[in-house]
Amino acid sequence: MLKLEKVSGGYTKSETIIHDVTFSVEPGEWVGLLGPNGAGKSTIMNVLLGQLAYIEGEVVLPAPEKLAFIPEHPLFFDDLTLHEHIEFLKAVTGLEGTAVDVETDRLLSLFRLSEKRHHYPASFSKGMQQKLMILLALLMRPDLYIIDEPFIGLDPKAMKDLLRELETRRQEGAGILMSTHVLDTAEKICGRFLLLNEGRLIAEGPLVDIQKKSGLDGSLLDCFEQLMEHGR
Amino acid sequence: MKTGKRRIVQEWAYHLSVWRLVIDWTVALYLVVPAAVIGGWHYWQFVEGQMSHWFSVLPPERAVFLWIAVIHSGTFRWLVMDADLLFHRRFDEPWEALQKTGIRYSLFLSVTAVLSAAAVIVPALTVYAGEPLYAVLLFLPAVLVLRMTGQLVQQKIDIRFERWRRTAVAIFCRAGLTVPILAAVFFGSYGAALLFLTFLPVLWWLLKSRRKEAWAFPQDCQREAEQRMKYSSFLLQLSGFHTKQKKEPRRKPLLLFTQSGSLFRDMNQELRLFEWLLKRWLRSRAHVFLYLQLTVVFSIALAAAPGWVKWVLLPVCSLIVVHTTYQVLGEAKNHPFFQLICRDASSLPVRPFRRAVGLITTPAVFLFGFITGAVVFQPLAGLLLGAAAALLLYLFYTSSLLA
């Protein structure tokens, strides 16, 4: 579904940010992309979105319509209402039918956005804008979700609802790659982890493998700290 | 140096740095020095009562309108910044010191503005209109108090009202401040003294009230940020930067499709795209103004152009309007949200774009045809030519131009 094979790259030719990164995300897998600030997580996101100027190595992605991206900073049109954003999504992706309308109403209700349907997202709070991004991605029903820091600005209920929805999609066969700093949540939901440091993949696998590599029996955070320390 | 004073110095240092950067002083000196010499000479003649003939035909009493301009200019400065939340805002002593420096600075700016206006008004009324000097000078404190009162009233309106209510209340209050000065001019020096004595306690109360409005701190910071850029922003704008901060975003569409209403009953992908394009265009003030500007300018050009030039201009103007509209609509594809949702814009149907351009530009093209036909032949011929031009262009555009 998603595969990176010895990928190196950066924003300028002379400055490489990620080095020989190799990983994959299979259908029905929830993979956590972890690392300290400046480790190269956002650069990998940009590789996946085709926004990196210089890339070496092999990148295999699903077709554009089979991929949904939830960015860290919400994006929207200033002059369209929430409803019109959904209509735009339908116009661009060709989503049609009663089932889509029912799903739209359900998600709007779930994320408590029904009342704001005819309002401009520009007037929303950060959390509500983030909910709009999530709602649009869920409506697309893609094969692969790429999510960058999804929990910033979300209230606890919205966070729980988002996780439940994504888990359902994962069970239906979708792959999820999620970049986050919320390690205790990642530990509970992700089946596999990718630990990045200074642009290199320093550990990969389920929690058991990460624990084995770090030599600790503790939480993901403890192993993360140990591996970072060891890597210095 | 105290915080407030340091901020004033930094502000003017910033202005100076921008002026140095943007203005070519070698060239500017060739303009500034002669302007200062000629302007100084004329002002000296003006004060001496020997002003040139063109000025002497103006009634000198009109100079009092400068007072009105002064009253409605500028804003009260509080010298606050967002970062004050960390320290100044939390402790009474530094916060009050900052506020007092702001009040003194605002007073200084207002005194400067009033004296600058007085430099024109005093000679105009005493030398040319024969008014006694004391009567004119009595207006100075009254105008000063009214100016500062007006500034504080405007701030109170800005923080308490939104959108059209804010505009309506501001117009009402501004008119309320203009009437007393006109009345004072009518009643002379006694009127000015009465005005000063009436508005001084109002100003005092407004100052005390504004100082306590802690909840308006974010708005005060935003206004101060704009003011800090004020004397440099026009130069930066000339250099291509957008310096004006966007105020609070609108919650819902203003007039059109307020409930996100649809143009079409039975929607499909093409109609959704068509509607999206029309809505974005209609709600963009810049896009609509550009279209109207082009339509008006080209209409005037077509009416004024001599003979055969009209027949050349008609297709050229039409194509410019059509092409510009197409470019404007196509810009949406560069929007980050568009690229987030649609990673392959080439897969989208072209027909909605064509239809939107055709629909938007048809009235303009009809008008161009009508004006050309009406000026060359007669109005009926104009109607026919307009209809033919619009139909031809619509068919041409929707069928082949973008294929």
Side-chain angles (χ1 to χ4, degrees), chain A residues 156-188:
Chain A
K157 185 184 178 306
M159 209 163 130
K160 198 175 163 189
D161 292 334
L162 166 67
L163 293 175
R164 194 187 303 131
E165 284 297 317
L166 286 174
E167 178 57 23
T168 310
R169 301 295 163 92
R170 187 194 67 77
Q171 285 171 7
E172 289 167 3
I176 301 166
L177 177 67
M178 181 177 76
S179 158
T180 184
H181 287 296
V182 189
L183 295 190
D184 52 346
T185 308
E187 187 178 333
K188 286 175 197 158

Side-chain angles (χ1 to χ4, degrees), chain B residues 194-206:
Chain B
L194 187 67
L195 201 64
F196 175 75
L197 292 172
T198 311
F199 276 90
L200 193 61
V202 177
L203 174 62
W204 184 254
W205 176 81
L206 281 167

Side-chain angles (χ1 to χ4, degrees), chain A residues 4-196:
Chain A
L4 267 72
E5 187 74 39
K6 293 198 169 185
V7 171
S8 301
Y11 297 96
T12 59
K13 209 169 187 176
S14 57
E15 195 183 356
T16 308
I17 296 172
I18 51 171
H19 311 271
D20 288 332
V21 174
T22 299
F23 69 86
S24 64
V25 178
E26 300 303 325
E29 238 194 339
W30 194 326
V31 180
L33 183 61
L34 317 172
N37 299 124
K41 301 189 295 296
S42 297
T43 310
I44 286 184
M45 292 287 172
N46 285 331
V47 168
L48 302 175
L49 297 171
Q51 291 176 351
L52 205 64
Y54 301 97
I55 302 175
E56 282 176 19
E58 191 190 1
V59 181
V60 180
L61 283 166
E65 67 275 12
K66 300 283 179 191
L67 188 155
F69 175 59
I70 301 175
E72 181 184 356
H73 303 290
L75 303 166
F76 43 80
F77 289 118
D78 285 344
D79 39 19
L80 290 186
T81 64
L82 189 157
H83 174 79
E84 287 160 359
H85 276 82
I86 296 169
E87 287 294 299
F88 172 72
L89 176 82
K90 290 178 183 173
V92 169
T93 55
L95 288 169
E96 294 283 351
T98 320
V100 177
D101 295 338
V102 171
E103 178 70 351
T104 306
D105 290 341
R106 187 185 72 81
L107 289 172
L108 279 171
S109 169
L110 181 74
F111 289 115
R112 286 171 289 156
L113 288 172
S114 305
E115 297 289 311
K116 301 284 179 185
R117 197 172 185 138
H118 302 295
H119 287 217
Y120 286 140
S123 68
F124 291 179
S125 67
K126 166 83 167 59
M128 285 164 75
Q129 290 173 351
Q130 189 68 6
K131 285 179 189 177
L132 170 64
M133 294 289 100
I134 293 163
L135 185 144
L136 294 173
L138 291 172
L139 270 180
M140 286 170 78
R141 290 204 160 265
D143 291 346
L144 176 69
Y145 292 88
I146 298 174
I147 312 172
D148 196 1
E149 293 293 351
F151 308 123
I152 296 174
L154 285 188
D155 58 73
K157 185 184 178 306
M159 209 163 130
K160 198 175 163 189
D161 292 334
L162 166 67
L163 293 175
R164 194 187 303 131
E165 284 297 317
L166 286 174
E167 178 57 23
T168 310
R169 301 295 163 92
R170 187 194 67 77
Q171 285 171 7
E172 289 167 3
I176 301 166
L177 177 67
M178 181 177 76
S179 158
T180 184
H181 287 296
V182 189
L183 295 190
D184 52 346
T185 308
E187 187 178 333
K188 286 175 197 158
I189 55 175
C190 295
R192 196 153 61 85
F193 303 95
L194 306 166
L195 257 66
L196 271 179

